Amino acid sequence: MAYFHCKVPGRQTVPRAELTALDRTLKCIRANRTWTIYIDAQYVINGLAADDRSFYLLGFNGDLWQLVCSKTAALKGKGIADINFIKVKSHVNTAEEWIFYGMTADM
């Protein structure tokens, strides 16, 4: 389990907070291994999966998308290319929901 907190650059919005969290997470990746990052924001998952990210790079949060895209490219350049982004349900409240949605190792 990991916990991050930081100030979101620019205007505080949910998409910017999600992208900032991903940016900070990518900064922590060092070793060449398989990484799995769980994300509850469909907006971020869609942007990561897009073949053409110009919509995101030129949009309201383009500054943060640029950071995320450059970090993922740099990691791939270092041979750390196996990063899996998994969409998870947001606002899961009970232990049963955590298990049902695959958000825990207790499966």
Side-chain angles (χ1 to χ4, degrees), residues 6 9 34 52 55-56 65 74 87 90 97 100 102:
C6 63
T34 300
D52 178 5
F55 170 81
Y56 298 93
W65 277 110
K87 170 70 171 92
S90 59
E97 286 180 312
F100 180 79

Side-chain angles (χ1 to χ4, degrees), residues 22 26 35-39 45 48 72 83-87:
L22 178 55
L26 292 171
W35 294 90
T36 301
I37 300 174
Y38 296 93
I39 301 171
I45 293 292
L48 292 167
T72 54
I83 303 172
N84 302 300
F85 300 102
I86 306 293
K87 170 70 171 92

Side-chain angles (χ1 to χ4, degrees), residues 1-2 36-41 86-107:
M1 176 186 275
T36 301
I37 300 174
Y38 296 93
I39 301 171
D40 69 351
I86 306 293
K87 170 70 171 92
V88 294
K89 185 177 181 340
S90 59
H91 306 289
V92 175
N93 298 313
T94 67
E96 292 79 17
E97 286 180 312
W98 278 81
I99 293 168
F100 180 79
Y101 292 107
M103 298 171 69
T104 179
D106 299 336
M107 298 177 82

